[in-house]
Amino acid sequence: MSAPILELVGLRKSYGAQEVLRGVDLRVRPAELVCVIGPSGSGKSTMLRCCNRLEEPTAGQVVVDGQDITRPDTDINRVRQSVGMVFQHFNLYPHLSALENVTLALRRVQKKDRAQAEAIAREALGQVGLAHKADAYPAQLSGGQQQRVGIARGIALQPKVMLFDEPTSALDPELVDEVLRVMRSLRDGGMTMLVVTHEMAFAHAVADRVVFMDGGVVAEQGTPADVFENPKEARTRSFIGRYMDAKG
């Protein structure tokens, strides 16, 4: 079995007296799609944001491709090139076109010249089905299109792993599927993905592994069939039961 590309060891995060993460252990292997589910306030997004140190862990380790990125001498800008992030609310620059939003990090962080950056950006936009919207500004795009630009911006840097933080929760229901289709195609292309989501049907159908978080810890994990159809923990059964009831 291949070594993990992303590993969390004893990850803790506190805000003052409030402990949000209470010792999270998690491994993600190359080309694996891991979906993280759980109730609001269970620590899912905080855990995800610790993976590229948008949140600083209070204790524990985050290891990316064998490198402990929580060490004080870590070049965090270099790390963030190998750990892509797609946000809940797109985080696009409104004054830049789709193409310019994607080329920004390529030029500023990877120091590529304009022609190189634009060629890579156009290819990334093509991957998410938006080659024809390269010159459009965020205000001219639907929410689903804006999120797909956000995905293109992430994959343009050719990261080792992509993090998705509730990528569809800010979208109108009819726009959700277009983003999930892109994520399916990335998975089929071998992209390693850690996805915090409330889209239970997506997690059930597409994930290689489902992780259920509750109370700041990983309460249960396994294949989608394990977690959705035969959960072992009472709190998992309660959470999954609500989804299965709604589905039925």
Side-chain angles (χ1 to χ4, degrees):
M1 190 176 282
S2 57
I5 196 80
L6 174 66
E7 186 171 12
L8 310 181
V9 183
L11 193 68
R12 292 181 176 272
K13 176 65 180 180
S14 297
Y15 299 99
Q18 183 188 11
E19 194 172 31
V20 178
L21 300 178
R22 299 188 296 117
V24 173
D25 295 307
L26 181 65
R27 293 167 182 80
V28 181
R29 301 191 183 281
E32 192 176 26
L33 193 166
V34 178
C35 282
V36 183
I37 63 172
S40 296
S42 59
K44 306 183 300 296
S45 290
T46 302
M47 178 273 294
L48 198 76
R49 291 169 69 87
C50 285
C51 292
N52 61 0
R53 282 183 43 198
L54 284 176
E55 293 282 359
E56 289 290 345
T58 305
Q61 291 177 298
V62 179
V63 181
V64 178
D65 200 18
Q67 178 192 2
D68 179 1
I69 69 166
T70 56
R71 287 170 53 99
D73 59 350
T74 298
D75 180 347
I76 197 60
N77 287 327
R78 181 178 291 275
V79 167
R80 286 180 184 152
Q81 292 179 59
S82 60
V83 184
M85 182 91 174
V86 176
F87 298 90
Q88 184 174 342
H89 292 290
F90 323 140
N91 286 21
L92 301 180
Y93 291 100
H95 63 291
L96 299 180
S97 68
L99 185 71
E100 289 166 337
N101 266 284
V102 179
T103 59
L104 192 64
L106 290 165
R107 297 187 67 193
R108 286 195 178 170
V109 180
Q110 295 193 343
K111 307 300 183 188
K112 298 190 184 300
D113 64 37
R114 182 185 294 274
Q116 264 186 313
E118 288 193 357
I120 294 167
R122 288 185 189 280
E123 184 176 344
L125 286 168
Q127 272 187 268
V128 300
L130 288 177
H132 63 299
K133 293 289 189 179
D135 297 325
Y137 288 85
Q140 299 169 310
L141 300 172
S142 71
Q145 289 171 331
Q146 289 183 61
Q147 190 58 292
R148 285 151 63 196
V149 173
I151 294 172
R153 177 179 55 191
I155 63 176
L157 295 171
Q158 297 186 307
K160 292 169 180 167
V161 59
M162 281 282 285
L163 311 175
F164 292 79
D165 187 11
E166 296 275 15
T168 59
S169 65
L171 300 178
D172 293 332
E174 67 271 17
L175 301 176
V176 168
D177 282 350
E178 67 185 70
V179 172
L180 296 181
R181 273 198 304 273
V182 167
M183 293 171 67
R184 283 175 189 254
S185 73
L186 291 178
R187 176 200 184 278
D188 293 343
M191 175 68 75
T192 308
M193 301 160 69
L194 181 60
V195 182
V196 170
T197 185
H198 64 280
E199 295 291 340
M200 297 295 136
F202 174 77
H204 197 172
V206 180
D208 295 300
R209 188 154 42 100
V210 175
V211 172
F212 174 69
M213 283 186 69
D214 192 25
V217 298
V218 172
E220 186 164 349
Q221 61 178 304
T223 67
D226 290 337
V227 174
F228 283 101
E229 291 151 38
N230 190 29
K232 295 180 178 62
E233 299 290 328
R235 50 187 168 169
T236 316
R237 284 197 294 274
S238 173
F239 182 82
I240 295 296
R242 291 195 291 275
Y243 156 67
M244 298 301 269
D245 288 346
K247 185 183 174 200

